[in-house]
Amino acid sequence: MLIGTRTAEPRGAGRDWRLAVVAGSCSSLGCACLLLAACSGIPLRAPTPQVHAPALTPEPIATPAVSLAPLQAARIPSPWQRLRDRYAMPGCDYSPMVSRFAAAIAANPRDLSAAFKQAMPFLLVVTEQIEKYDMPGEFAFLPWVESSYTMIPARGDGVAGMWQLMPRTARELGLRIDAEYDGRLDVYASSRTALVLLKQYKEEFGDWRLANMAFNAGENGVKQALGNRHSITPVEIARLRLNTTTYEHLTKLLALACIVSKPERFQVELPEPGADDVPTLLELPAPIDLRLAAQLAHMDLAQLRRWNPAYLKARMPDGGPFHLLVPATHRAEFERVLGMLPQYAWRDWRETKLQQTQSVDTLGMAYDLDARALAAINGVDAGASLAAGTRVLLPAHGGSNAVAAAAEPSAPAAANTSITSATQTGTCMVRPGDTLWEIARRYSVRVEDLLQWNRLPRNSTLRLGQRLLLSRPQ
């Protein structure tokens, strides 16, 4: 398979301070990488036994085979020892340059610790995937070398995501990329795809270090450097005709592994995950509006988008995928409340300002939704009365200027034959999907009037074929 050449660093200047911790602090050592060829004369420690995993083939990204385990309240497993136990490459002992890069990266230990903490949810996802596919623990630091675990957006045909995948490479490995969804920004899907690629390189070149170099320089670059050789020693790896950036890429990876293996040596405190750092992968049967998802997950919208940046619009695309990373602590509540809503009501929600005082029960009846679900979504009691001017999240049946059930519905843009006929006869027939609010909007009447004219209780359910009066009875 022909894989396009990649670049070592994300393009553009839009990086956060975390990238400066890793890459910026190493800039002073850039020229020193030229000494790697000289290091080839230093006897290198033989690599630890390689991890021999079963062949890994790309899976359909839209339906991941497993979800992250739900959070156990009693104990949150730390990722650090789990990764150390899976190390398969010499880290601190690989060459003098590894120790120098490690010292440069850890020059500001507090900043590095804070950066690790901020990346914790993504690091936990990658750790779980590494364990699932039986991969070396060092590769948990590859997104750090590439992007400091930052979901860098796509620019033209360039790389994107925390793994910095090229679009052609991503598509060849099964990731979907279009105007609504970019799989390179999907934490779960892109991590699996990157591990697929690394596994293929390992099988082709026989060494995890060469796999890392191919990830940076491209498959063809490593092939050309190897020539006709079918095996290579550690000393020969240091003498390959590859550019300085590719060697520096491997050195940074091993330097980060070195820091994590001996944090006390670099005075770095490795943070432990908190309850809200632990993600779970939530599979859904239908698309959902991200504003609704944020409320259900007890996250603000910016945080939900940070965890799920692959969705480029306000809602999931109709063609999927339909999965979300959310805090494991809120998964049960998310599923409980969402299960109270019909699927057709999931995909389009907007913040609305009430024009008059209204109860949650009336809003639920107007939108034909469970009032308890509306209350949970908006963080109020089920029996609460909401004052005029209150902003609530409601289904966007009437467009962005709709004022829920408490407002005068806007007149239809144009009358049609069925509306005219119904108005003349003074009645209408309930059709599939109709709610009181929809009928009120369609015929330019108030929900409260429909209730009064038809003597309907506030908790009434409409029936197909039911006839409703559209004016005050004589």
Side-chain angles (χ1 to χ4, degrees):
M1 178 184 66
L2 180 62
I3 303 295
T5 301
R6 306 176 61 264
T7 56
E9 305 291 349
R11 299 177 184 177
R15 304 184 188 178
D16 58 17
W17 60 274
R18 292 177 296 152
L19 189 54
V21 173
V22 177
S25 62
C26 296
S27 61
S28 62
L29 296 176
C31 294
C33 291
L34 295 174
L35 299 176
L36 278 174
C39 293
S40 63
I42 300 174
L44 300 177
R45 190 183 72 179
T48 55
Q50 302 295 325
V51 176
H52 296 290
L56 184 61
T57 56
E59 305 172 39
I61 296 302
T63 54
V66 299
S67 297
L68 299 177
L71 174 67
Q72 300 296 323
R75 178 176 175 270
I76 302 173
S78 171
W80 307 116
Q81 190 57 48
R82 294 158 63 189
L83 293 174
R84 294 185 198 111
D85 290 342
R86 304 194 63 82
Y87 279 5
M89 292 178 272
C92 301
D93 300 329
Y94 184 69
S95 76
M97 289 306 304
V98 170
S99 295
R100 294 178 193 174
F101 266 80
I105 293 171
N108 297 301
R110 288 187 180 179
D111 288 348
L112 182 58
S113 180
F116 276 136
K117 179 64 174 177
Q118 189 173 1
M120 184 60 69
F122 298 167
L123 178 65
L124 291 174
V125 173
V126 174
T127 300
E128 185 265 351
Q129 290 291 288
I130 282 176
E131 291 173 338
K132 174 188 173 184
Y133 292 128
D134 198 17
M135 301 285 283
E138 290 93 339
F139 286 124
F141 310 116
L142 184 51
W144 203 281
V145 175
E146 291 288 336
S147 67
S148 291
Y149 267 99
T150 301
M151 285 295 175
I152 297 177
R155 295 180 180 177
D157 292 330
V159 293
M162 68 182 190
W163 294 93
Q164 292 290 271
L165 295 171
M166 292 290 289
R168 186 179 70 173
T169 302
R171 288 190 175 101
E172 287 176 348
L173 292 170
L175 280 180
R176 174 181 155 198
I177 303 173
D178 56 38
E180 294 184 290
Y181 171 84
D182 190 335
R184 295 173 298 171
L185 304 179
D186 188 315
V187 178
Y188 191 98
S190 67
S191 296
R192 185 171 58 192
T193 298
L195 294 179
V196 167
L197 188 58
L198 287 164
K199 178 63 177 177
Q200 290 177 351
Y201 289 153
K202 167 60 167 59
E203 291 175 348
E204 181 174 5
F205 301 120
D207 190 286
W208 286 118
R209 286 162 293 185
L210 291 177
N212 181 82
M213 290 177 165
F215 192 91
N216 172 257
E219 179 184 22
N220 290 336
V222 174
K223 278 184 177 179
Q224 292 174 3
L226 287 175
N228 296 324
R229 285 174 289 190
H230 299 290
S231 62
I232 188 170
T233 66
V235 172
E236 289 174 328
I237 290 177
R239 296 174 177 169
L240 291 176
R241 289 181 174 271
L242 292 168
N243 62 41
T244 302
T245 301
T246 301
Y247 277 109
E248 183 176 315
H249 188 273
L250 175 62
T251 304
K252 288 179 182 178
L253 181 76
L254 299 179
L256 284 161
C258 176
I259 293 171
V260 171
S261 68
K262 301 178 180 179
E264 65 286 346
R265 170 180 168 183
F266 300 95
Q267 299 181 334
V268 172
E269 182 179 351
L270 297 177
E272 297 300 334
D276 289 338
D277 292 327
V278 182
T280 182
L281 187 71
L282 186 63
E283 293 281 2
L284 302 175
I288 187 174
D289 190 297
L290 297 185
R291 287 160 291 201
L292 173 61
Q295 292 293 102
L296 294 174
H298 295 268
M299 307 168 80
D300 59 48
L301 183 58
Q303 185 186 15
L304 182 86
R305 283 189 171 278
R306 177 176 175 264
W307 283 36
N308 301 275
Y311 299 112
L312 307 179
K313 305 294 184 181
R315 63 191 60 83
M316 291 178 176
D318 291 335
F322 308 138
H323 59 243
L324 285 171
L325 280 178
V326 298
T329 48
H330 300 304
R331 175 174 187 145
E333 177 70 3
F334 189 115
E335 293 178 323
R336 183 187 71 82
V337 177
L338 189 63
M340 299 165 68
L341 301 174
Q343 286 186 15
Y344 68 78
W346 291 6
R347 73 175 314 273
D348 196 5
W349 287 64
R350 297 178 188 173
E351 188 181 79
T352 301
K353 184 169 71 172
L354 298 179
Q355 290 191 354
Q356 66 185 66
T357 299
Q358 200 58 244
S359 70
V360 175
D361 285 338
T362 300
L363 290 173
M365 180 184 55
Y367 287 94
D368 198 19
L369 297 176
D370 193 314
R372 295 170 301 171
L374 280 180
I377 290 166
N378 288 281
V380 298
D381 293 333
S385 181
L386 306 178
T390 301
R391 293 190 175 276
V392 292
L393 191 67
L394 295 169
H397 296 314
S400 59
N401 294 321
V403 195
E408 291 281 357
S410 57
N416 58 37
T417 304
S418 63
I419 292 179
T420 303
S421 174
T423 305
Q424 289 173 350
T425 61
T427 64
C428 75
M429 182 179 293
V430 176
R431 303 178 303 194
D434 272 349
T435 65
L436 283 172
W437 190 91
E438 287 284 0
I439 293 171
R441 183 181 66 84
R442 189 185 308 146
Y443 298 110
S444 300
V445 296
R446 291 168 51 91
V447 171
E448 296 292 339
D449 290 337
L450 283 176
L451 292 173
Q452 180 181 356
W453 298 338
N454 293 278
R455 298 182 179 181
L456 294 174
R458 293 190 176 276
N459 60 351
S460 62
T461 300
L462 299 181
R463 304 183 307 276
L464 288 178
Q466 180 181 358
R467 284 201 169 272
L468 297 179
L469 292 173
L470 296 175
S471 61
R472 184 183 302 277
Q474 298 299 321

